[in-house]
Structure formats: structure tokens, C-alpha cells
Amino acid sequence: MENKITLKSRLPIITFIALALLGFSVMVAELIVHVSAKKRKATLPAITNTPMEPKQVLLTVYQEANKYFLGDKTVLNQAVYTYCSKPLIQEFSKTPGIMEQTFARETRIGRLKKVEVVTQHYQGADSAMVSARAFYNDGFSKTFNQLFVKENGRWKLGLSYGRDIN
């Protein structure tokens, strides 16, 4: 009866093996997430470095925001940091989630069909106002104004309160 192995006597080794397997599986899961994130970054569409007119910036930002709500969760941050002015980015940074909420409202959570530029007016060398009309899949449309400012030679979405037309 001396050769009888009891579960109680082997409990420390079983616990050690279970924890080692758990740690290994967590490590493999993190590696998979890391590798898939790198693949996603590699396949991102390159946002152009060529200076664009304000109306082109507006169309690009709305298109990228709409893609975000259609499932491509990587494009919005890239577009925001490329095409939004520093004061606008600072405003977005003050309240977590406000950027997503703003673009959710503007794209109606990915139901934006198209944006047409109505007018573009330059207000000096470093400021412009673009009037545009957004059309949505449900037939709704709205006209709005967007301020643009020039930062480092590039047009960026500006921060303007009370300029939108509802």
C-alpha cells in the first residue's frame, strides 16, 4: 500500500502545472494580438502627405470617420491626428470618447452616403470656411460649415463654436 499515490500529495505539482499552462496560454494570446495588430497596421491605407485643399481634407475626414463606424477601427485616429488642428485635438483629449461621439453624430454611425462641398471661401492666408452638405442612407441630409486653419503649411479642421448650420 506504500505505492498508492494520493491526489492530496500531488496537489502542489498539479497546481504548478495548471498555472504554467495558464501563463503560457496568456502569453500565446498576447503574441497573437500583437502580430495581428502589426499586420493591420501594415495594411492601412496610407493617408497622403501631399498638401490638400480644405474641401479635400473635409471629404477625407468624413470618409475615414464613416469607415470607422463601418468596422475599420484604425482609420479615425489616423485621420484625426493628420487632419485636425492642435486646438481641436486638445479639445477631443479633454473628454474621453467625445471624438467618437462627434463623428458618430456627423456620420450617423456609419450611415453617411456622401458629402458634397457647396462652397469654399478663404479668409486670409491661414483660414478658410467650407460649406458642405451631408447625405445619409436614410434620405436625411444636412448642410454645415467647417472652419479650416493652416498649420505647418497644411490645412486642418479648425475649432469653431456655433458655426454649424443645422
Side-chain angles (χ1 to χ4, degrees):
M1 297 282 166
E2 287 182 36
N3 291 345
K4 191 174 187 182
I5 299 173
T6 63
L7 182 59
K8 193 173 187 179
S9 67
R10 298 287 183 205
L11 193 56
I13 191 94
I14 293 170
T15 304
F16 175 77
I17 291 171
L19 288 174
L21 287 173
L22 180 65
F24 180 73
S25 63
V26 167
M27 186 175 69
V28 168
E30 287 178 357
L31 182 63
I32 290 169
V33 168
H34 180 72
V35 168
S36 66
K38 275 190 169 186
K39 282 183 181 178
R40 250 186 272 128
K41 284 181 184 175
T43 60
L44 276 178
I47 291 182
T48 181
N49 285 329
T50 307
M52 294 191 287
E53 292 294 312
K55 61 185 176 184
Q56 294 167 307
V57 173
L58 179 81
L59 296 174
T60 301
V61 169
Y62 272 74
Q63 178 184 1
E64 297 300 302
N66 205 52
K67 282 183 195 175
Y68 174 84
F69 291 104
L70 293 175
D72 190 346
K73 298 298 182 189
T74 57
V75 296
L76 186 59
N77 281 336
Q78 187 179 4
V80 165
Y81 288 105
T82 302
Y83 299 120
C84 289
S85 65
K86 288 178 184 172
L88 184 56
I89 291 171
Q90 289 171 347
E91 196 65 28
F92 283 153
S93 299
K94 287 180 184 176
T95 308
I98 194 73
M99 176 185 65
E100 289 86 359
Q101 193 174 32
T102 299
F103 286 109
R105 182 189 70 233
E106 294 304 314
T107 66
R108 294 179 68 135
I109 312 174
R111 292 187 292 246
L112 181 67
K113 188 175 181 179
K114 67 179 178 176
V115 175
E116 290 179 355
V117 173
V118 178
T119 61
Q120 174 178 282
H121 297 287
Y122 290 97
Q123 303 169 333
D126 295 333
S127 180
M129 183 65 69
V130 174
S131 294
R133 188 157 186 85
F135 297 89
Y136 300 90
N137 292 334
D138 61 2
F140 180 79
S141 66
K142 74 173 190 172
T143 302
F144 63 96
N145 293 328
Q146 177 60 54
L147 175 69
F148 285 84
V149 294
K150 213 173 219 184
E151 281 184 3
N152 300 321
R154 299 191 184 280
W155 288 103
K156 308 254 182 161
L157 292 173
L159 181 61
S160 60
Y161 294 105
R163 293 196 182 223
D164 285 357
I165 302 171
N166 292 324

